[in-house]
């Protein structure tokens, strides 16, 4: 016991017993060069798990969000010395995660220079700014009139330290920075990046406007993939290169074999017709020898995308991507739904990652090739 008390005094010289029974300790715990006041009241048996921890308002603020961990360590610590060491480790972590609580506020000229920068840039470019002037959101239009946002997070030593910038781009965006940099230079580099991606967004906007895009339902400016409906419960998934948006994209056909195989043959046969001077959509039409049906036309036809098993379109963020190969059926299914259905049939059989069975609708043979992810 005496050894433990000696260790406690050496490790925490500002934390001392307040009575002879040594059931009350009060003083300071030090972390990262700062002292924090606390008081611990132990029961008569000195069991730490039943102790009461009283913290100063400052220590409470730092440990906010760590209460459960502190209670857990209190329950499992063998003695007060062990708990104090655990508490110090938790405090060190909390301090590292909340350095901003103790950072000195920026000098007045920080705010005045920022306001001057915003004024020079134009207040119409400002979307929002937080109360600390540490997060600033700016907007800009590209040459096609699309509005884009950039979020700038300023660091304590701005402008000596480069700020962090966040944008909705399909490619990485980084700024060139010097201690003489400003919001004006950030916005200028942002505009240059927008100009370099204009052709990509023109291509994607044309696809979104003139075809029925199945996925993503609400594409962001960073999205490079589109799954486009072709009719006959078939679709094509394309992955566009943002740097070369009019070049042939990666293509993957989804649907019944009797529908998608001819399209694959046309793509191989006509690939020489691809002209980077034309729009991507026009090239796809020429190479595949089709007109992409608009959503309105397909919705009025017998085209359906609801799963034939769960009768839903969206299931856990996915849409039907398996189709019965029978030309008279062509019913789509979610992969997981078809997997569970076939797995429940006694007549189904599996070979590696392929399941053979019968279509739930027409009872004709259907094959499910499971993807790398488990359905």
């Amino acid at each position: 016991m005496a050894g433990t008390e000696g260790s406690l005094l050496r490790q925490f010289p500002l934390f001392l017993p307040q009575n002879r029974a040594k059931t009350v300790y009060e003083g300071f715990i030090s972390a990262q060069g700062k002292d924090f006041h606390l008081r611990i009241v132990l029961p008569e048996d000195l069991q730490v798990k039943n102790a009461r921890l009283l913290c100063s308002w400052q220590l409470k603020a730092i440990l906010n969000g760590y209460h459960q961990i502190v209670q857990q360590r209190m329950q499992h610590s063998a003695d007060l010395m062990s708990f104090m060491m655990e508490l110090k480790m938790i405090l060190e972590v909390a301090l590292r995660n909340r350095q901003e609580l103790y950072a000195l506020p920026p000098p007045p000229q920080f705010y005045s220079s920022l306001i001057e920068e915003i004024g020079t840039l134009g207040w119409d470019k400002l979307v929002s700014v937080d109360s600390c002037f540490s997060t600033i959101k700016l907007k800009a239009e590209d040459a096609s009139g699309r509005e884009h946002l950039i979020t700038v997070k300023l660091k304590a030593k701005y402008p000596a330290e480069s700020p962090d910038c966040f944008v909705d781009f399909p490619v990485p965006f980084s700024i060139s920075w010097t201690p003489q940099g400003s919001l004006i230079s950030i916005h200028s580099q942002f505009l240059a990046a927008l100009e370099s991606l204009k052709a990509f967004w023109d291509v994607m906007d044309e696809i979104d406007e003139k075809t029925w895009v199945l996925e993503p339902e609400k594409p962001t400016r960073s999205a490079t993939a589109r799954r486009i409906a072709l009719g006959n419960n078939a679709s094509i998934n394309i992955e566009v290169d943002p740097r070369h948006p009019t070049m042939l994209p990666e293509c993957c056909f989804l649907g019944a074999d009797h529908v998608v195989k001819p399209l694959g043959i046309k793509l191989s046969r006509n690939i020489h017709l691809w002209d980077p001077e034309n729009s991507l959509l026009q090239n796809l039409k020429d190479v595949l020898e089709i007109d992409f049906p608009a959503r309105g036309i397909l919705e009025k036809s017998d085209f359906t995308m609801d799963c034939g098993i769960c009768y839903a379109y969206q299931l856990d963020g996915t849409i039907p991507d398996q189709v019965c190969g029978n030309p008279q059926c062509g019913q789509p299914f979610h992969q997981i739904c078809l997997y569970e259905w076939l797995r429940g049939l006694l007549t189904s059989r599996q070979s590696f990652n392929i399941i053979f069975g019968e279509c739930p609708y027409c009872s004709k043979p259907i094959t499910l090739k499971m993807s790398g992810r488990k359905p």
Side-chain angles (χ1 to χ4, degrees):
M1 190 64 149
T4 303
E5 291 174 6
S7 298
L8 184 63
L9 184 61
R10 283 194 299 274
Q11 292 290 336
F12 304 95
L14 301 178
F15 188 65
L16 302 170
Q18 302 298 302
N19 59 7
R20 286 180 179 274
K22 296 183 178 175
T23 56
V24 179
Y25 279 78
E26 188 169 359
F28 297 87
I29 183 171
S30 302
Q32 294 192 7
K34 301 179 180 71
D35 297 328
F36 303 93
H37 183 263
L38 77 161
R39 177 183 175 94
I40 294 180
V41 180
L42 297 163
E44 290 183 2
D45 60 5
L46 304 180
Q47 291 293 310
V48 179
K49 64 181 180 181
N50 297 319
R52 283 192 301 129
L53 174 62
L54 306 170
C55 303
S56 65
W57 68 267
Q58 194 179 33
L59 187 55
K60 271 185 183 177
I62 295 166
L63 294 178
N64 183 34
Y66 295 84
H67 293 162
Q68 191 173 350
I69 300 172
V70 172
Q71 286 292 330
Q72 185 186 52
R73 300 325 306 153
M74 187 178 281
Q75 290 293 316
H76 293 89
S77 294
D79 50 46
L80 185 58
M81 172 65 186
S82 303
F83 172 68
M84 289 295 291
M85 293 299 292
E86 295 271 12
L87 182 62
K88 182 170 182 174
M89 287 171 55
I90 296 169
L91 183 56
E92 294 276 2
V93 171
L95 281 172
R96 280 198 298 271
N97 293 337
R98 299 188 53 156
Q99 286 289 351
E100 66 274 9
L101 285 180
Y102 299 96
L104 290 173
Q109 56 265 34
F110 170 84
Y111 301 101
S112 59
S113 62
L114 265 182
I115 291 172
E116 187 179 336
E117 286 180 24
I118 296 171
T120 304
L121 178 63
W123 286 95
D124 58 316
K125 307 291 193 307
L126 179 68
V127 176
S128 65
V129 58
D130 67 353
S131 57
C132 301
F133 271 67
S134 61
T135 302
I136 298 173
K137 192 172 287 187
L138 304 172
K139 66 181 178 180
E141 280 192 2
D142 62 23
S144 296
R146 290 175 290 252
E147 185 176 285
H148 303 266
L149 301 178
I150 179 171
T151 300
V152 183
K153 290 189 176 290
L154 305 179
K155 298 176 183 175
K157 296 180 181 177
Y158 175 87
E161 199 172 2
S162 171
D164 293 325
C165 297
F166 303 91
V167 294
D168 187 18
F169 281 4
V171 294
F173 174 72
S174 58
I175 57 171
S176 175
W177 190 257
T178 67
Q180 290 73 44
S182 65
L183 294 178
I184 295 90
S185 62
I186 292 174
H187 197 264
S188 175
Q189 293 178 63
F190 182 48
L191 283 172
L194 293 180
E195 183 58 31
S196 70
L197 290 166
K198 175 186 175 297
F200 167 74
W201 286 317
D202 286 345
V203 162
M204 304 311 274
D205 280 356
E206 183 184 21
I207 291 171
D208 294 339
E209 291 166 11
K210 297 182 179 179
T211 69
W212 184 358
V213 174
L214 302 173
E215 291 183 295
E217 193 172 354
K218 294 179 180 179
T220 62
R221 288 298 176 194
S222 59
T224 57
R226 294 291 189 275
R227 181 178 170 189
I228 308 168
L230 299 174
N232 295 322
N233 292 327
S235 59
I236 180 175
N237 194 81
I238 61 170
E239 185 75 37
V240 181
D241 182 350
R243 297 299 189 193
H244 307 93
T246 59
M247 300 299 288
L248 178 67
E250 291 182 31
C251 298
C252 176
F253 295 102
L254 301 166
D257 283 350
H258 72 277
V259 177
V260 301
K261 275 190 175 177
L263 293 172
I265 292 170
K266 289 177 182 177
L267 178 63
S268 300
R269 185 180 65 207
N270 297 331
I271 198 167
H272 67 281
L273 299 175
W274 194 277
D275 184 359
E277 296 300 315
N278 292 334
S279 72
L280 185 143
L281 183 59
Q282 186 58 52
N283 273 315
L284 285 175
K285 289 179 180 180
D286 294 342
V287 170
L288 298 178
E289 300 175 8
I290 61 169
D291 280 323
F292 285 89
R295 182 175 188 137
I297 296 171
L298 286 177
E299 284 182 331
K300 291 175 184 174
S301 71
D302 58 358
F303 180 81
T304 175
M305 281 305 298
D306 290 343
C307 173
I309 296 173
C310 72
Y311 303 109
Y313 178 62
Q314 289 267 0
L315 180 66
D316 295 332
T318 64
I319 66 175
D321 58 0
Q322 307 295 316
V323 180
C324 175
N326 178 11
Q328 282 73 47
C329 179
Q331 178 64 45
F333 306 98
H334 292 113
Q335 186 186 76
I336 180 63
C337 294
L338 188 57
Y339 171 76
E340 294 294 344
W341 172 274
L342 294 177
R343 201 173 62 162
L345 294 179
L346 296 176
T347 54
S348 296
R349 59 188 179 86
Q350 183 169 348
S351 175
F352 298 101
N353 65 332
I354 301 176
I355 299 180
F356 303 89
E358 295 179 353
C359 172
Y361 270 63
C362 66
S363 299
K364 295 294 184 183
I366 192 169
T367 303
L368 170 64
K369 185 175 182 180
M370 293 178 290
S371 61
R373 67 184 189 282
K374 187 176 179 180

